[in-house]
């Protein structure tokens, strides 16, 4: 079995992340989609999570800020199957000191076939998708089999 079927449940675990220059855009976006977001479990990197909660009243579990490992914490939660969906308003015009962490997070979301929006337009499309109100099955690599097969070749 090369892949496993995973189920993203009706109530999603959504990670909210925004670079400094995009935090106010993220807050405005969360306010605009507050009714939908309120039906899901929200988490995010430290400063973004706190600012969203203060501005919108939505409960957002905060991890560390991105430069202090928050991106990696969210990536680990994806691996553990505890995050189903990522909204990450990244700033493509400003250099980020933690860029390798951001790339690692984007990579792990791809590996685990997790929906990820990198800007307002993609977030708008995704949050209004019919899949937001239903379960969604997707295939991921069978990592245990993959490790076993790789170990045989080394």
């Amino acid at each position: 079995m090369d892949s496993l079927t995973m189920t993203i449940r009706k109530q999603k675990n959504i990670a909210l992340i925004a670079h400094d220059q995009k935090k106010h855009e993220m807050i405005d976006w969360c306010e605009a989609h507050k009714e939908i977001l309120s039906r899901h479990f929200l988490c995010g990197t430290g400063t973004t999570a706190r600012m969203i909660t203060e501005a919108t009243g939505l409960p957002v579990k905060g991890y560390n800020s991105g430069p202090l490992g928050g991106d990696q914490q969210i990536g680990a939660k994806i691996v553990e199957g505890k995050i189903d969906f990522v909204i990450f308003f990244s700033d493509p015009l400003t250099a980020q000191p933690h860029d390798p962490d951001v790339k690692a997070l984007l990579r792990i979301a791809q590996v685990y076939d997790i929906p990820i929006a990198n800007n307002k337009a993609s977030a708008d499309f995704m949050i209004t998708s019919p899949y937001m109100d239903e379960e969604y099955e997707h295939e991921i690599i069978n990592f245990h089999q993959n490790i076993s097969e790789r170990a045989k070749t080394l």
Side-chain angles (χ1 to χ4, degrees):
M1 177 184 252
D2 292 338
S3 65
L4 298 172
T5 301
M6 300 295 291
T7 301
I8 296 175
R9 290 183 270 162
K10 186 175 179 177
Q11 184 179 31
K12 315 289 187 271
N13 296 297
I14 302 173
L16 302 168
I17 308 164
H19 284 147
D20 288 349
Q21 299 302 320
K22 297 289 185 170
K23 288 190 189 321
H24 291 290
E25 183 178 351
M26 172 66 81
I27 290 165
D28 292 344
W29 184 85
C30 287
E31 187 63 45
H33 297 285
K34 188 174 179 176
E35 183 181 333
I36 295 169
L37 292 170
S38 69
R39 297 191 299 260
H40 302 280
F41 175 76
L42 308 175
C43 66
T45 49
T47 309
T48 303
R50 188 188 79 234
M51 290 176 72
I52 292 168
T53 296
E54 288 174 358
T56 68
L58 289 166
V60 184
K61 175 183 172 52
Y63 292 104
N64 288 351
S65 68
L68 298 177
D71 299 323
Q72 291 185 345
Q73 286 178 300
I74 289 177
K77 293 296 179 189
I78 291 171
V79 172
E80 293 171 11
K82 295 182 179 174
I83 291 182
D84 306 312
F85 194 101
V86 177
I87 305 290
F88 187 168
F89 285 8
S90 60
D91 180 3
L93 302 177
T94 304
Q96 304 296 326
H98 63 296
D99 193 53
D101 298 333
V102 171
K103 286 186 171 127
L105 172 62
L106 297 176
R107 180 187 168 281
I108 209 70
Q110 286 181 302
V111 168
Y112 283 84
D113 195 29
I114 296 299
I116 185 163
N118 291 331
N119 57 37
K120 183 182 175 300
S122 58
D124 285 343
F125 273 80
M126 288 170 51
I127 202 76
T128 58
S129 165
Y131 290 122
M132 286 303 296
D133 292 321
E134 59 188 61
E135 289 188 348
Y136 178 81
E137 291 188 352
H138 60 124
E139 302 288 318
I140 65 165
I141 296 168
N142 182 337
F143 294 100
H144 294 293
Q145 179 182 344
N146 182 273
I147 290 167
S148 177
E149 296 298 322
R150 286 190 67 214
K152 290 177 188 175
T153 65
L154 299 177

